[in-house]
């Protein structure tokens, strides 16, 4: 039980509590695939944490070290770092370019570079990356990546391309902040992420026409609605 886990592995107790909280919010039969994947990943990760404790290593909920999106030339469009491994912008961009050079011509979804585990996927002229430590659970990182990509897919109405991302960059940062806070995973369901961003922005100036249209549920551009014929 949870009580038994607490004495041997605090991380396992925390993981179990997170799963129980999620289960209490939504009937099990309505759980999304992403939530089930994340729950499995949390348990697997916590089992790893238990083994790490036996080796004297400290378990942590700070799963994600960085998230960044690059264009098809390897240029940064969005980036968030959650530790001080790469303290300067120059070091971060050098790391991003190294990652891009290693991954942009491959069909794999995972890479290992500079002591980091990296999962990634591409869409048209965009590359999405989620970075964890070398011993991080790949399922956990992949759950974050899938949530990140699907959130953008919803926000940009399936137009996951550079020009649409640049039009909605403020909204893009809000999406990332709803998924990750300081390296800790907050949400793995894209629908929930977009709904939370909508709630935060619906009473504020629009973050680009695509996000505004998504919030209002309108299929017409803002200028058409404001100046009907």
């Amino acid at each position: 039980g949870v009580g038994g886990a607490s004495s041997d592995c605090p991380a396992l107790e925390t993981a179990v509590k997170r799963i129980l909280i999620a289960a209490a919010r939504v009937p099990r039969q309505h759980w999304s695939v992403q939530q089930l994947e994340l729950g499995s990943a949390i348990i697997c990760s916590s089992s790893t944490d238990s083994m790490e404790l036996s080796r004297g290593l400290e378990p942590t909920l700070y799963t994600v070290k960085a998230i960044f999106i690059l264009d098809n030339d390897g240029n940064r469009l969005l980036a968030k770092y959650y530790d001080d491994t790469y303290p300067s912008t120059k070091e971060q961009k050098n790391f991003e370019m190294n990652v891009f050079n290693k991954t942009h011509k491959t069909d794999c979804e995972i890479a290992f570079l500079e002591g980091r585990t990296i999962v990634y996927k591409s869409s048209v002229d965009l590359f999405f990356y989620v970075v964890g430590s070398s011993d991080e659970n790949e399922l956990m990182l992949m759950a974050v990546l899938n949530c990140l990509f699907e959130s953008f897919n919803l926000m940009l109405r399936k137009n996951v391309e550079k020009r649409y991302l640049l039009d909605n960059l403020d909204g893009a940062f809000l999406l990332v902040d709803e998924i990750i806070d300081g390296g800790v995973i907050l949400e793995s369901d894209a629908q929930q992420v977009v709904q939370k961003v909508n709630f935060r922005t619906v009473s504020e100036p629009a973050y680009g026409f695509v996000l505004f249209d998504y919030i209002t549920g309108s299929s017409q551009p803002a200028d058409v609605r404001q100046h009907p014929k």
Side-chain angles (χ1 to χ4, degrees):
V2 175
S6 61
S7 59
D8 299 324
C9 182
L12 180 57
E13 179 187 19
T14 300
V16 172
K17 283 181 178 178
R18 290 175 67 187
I19 296 173
L20 291 176
I21 290 171
R25 289 176 178 169
V26 182
R28 185 175 182 84
Q29 63 268 29
H30 294 150
W31 275 28
S32 67
V33 173
Q34 291 89 349
Q35 286 171 318
L36 292 172
E37 287 178 347
L38 181 59
S40 299
I42 289 172
I43 291 177
C44 292
S45 180
S46 298
S47 300
T48 302
D49 289 338
S50 181
M51 291 187 289
E52 289 177 348
L53 281 174
S54 67
R55 300 197 302 268
L57 300 178
E58 178 109 12
T60 178
L61 292 176
Y62 296 93
T63 303
V64 177
K65 303 303 181 184
I67 284 177
F68 50 88
I69 303 174
L70 309 179
D71 66 15
N72 56 2
D73 293 318
N75 299 312
R76 173 194 287 192
L77 302 176
L78 178 155
K80 299 272 287 190
Y81 283 76
Y82 304 105
D83 68 4
D84 57 359
T85 303
Y86 305 100
S88 70
T89 301
K90 181 179 179 180
E91 290 173 294
Q92 292 173 4
K93 288 188 174 183
N94 285 340
F95 171 67
E96 291 162 16
M97 185 55 68
N98 289 339
V99 171
F100 179 77
N101 289 336
K102 184 180 178 68
T103 60
H104 78 286
K105 292 183 178 180
T106 66
D107 294 327
C108 300
E109 294 183 336
I110 185 168
F112 301 93
L113 183 69
E114 299 184 21
R116 291 286 184 258
T117 302
I118 304 154
V119 295
Y120 59 95
K121 67 169 52 182
S122 62
S123 174
V124 189
D125 52 0
L126 295 177
F127 289 81
F128 295 77
Y129 295 91
V130 176
V131 182
S133 63
S134 59
D135 54 359
E136 189 52 72
N137 186 288
E138 293 90 347
L139 287 176
M140 187 82 83
L141 297 177
M142 192 61 71
V144 175
L145 177 65
N146 289 335
C147 179
L148 179 71
F149 184 83
E150 289 305 320
S151 296
F152 278 96
N153 194 42
L154 288 172
M155 185 185 80
L156 302 178
R157 294 188 174 186
K158 299 184 179 180
N159 297 306
V160 186
E161 302 177 35
K162 179 179 177 179
R163 58 176 178 152
Y164 294 108
L165 174 62
L166 293 177
D167 284 340
N168 294 273
L169 204 52
D170 289 332
F173 276 101
L174 290 178
L175 285 182
V176 173
D177 289 342
E178 288 294 343
I179 299 170
I180 301 292
D181 181 18
V184 178
I185 301 172
L186 298 180
E187 184 57 73
S188 66
D189 186 316
Q191 290 280 358
Q192 291 294 321
V193 171
V194 173
Q195 288 178 14
K196 290 175 183 177
V197 170
N198 290 351
F199 179 78
R200 289 174 58 179
T201 61
V202 70
S203 60
E204 301 174 6
Y207 290 99
F209 71 92
V210 176
L211 181 58
F212 184 79
D213 289 345
Y214 187 89
I215 293 170
T216 59
S218 173
S219 60
Q220 291 183 308
D223 57 345
V224 174
R225 293 194 303 272
Q226 292 172 2
H227 306 286
K229 293 182 179 180

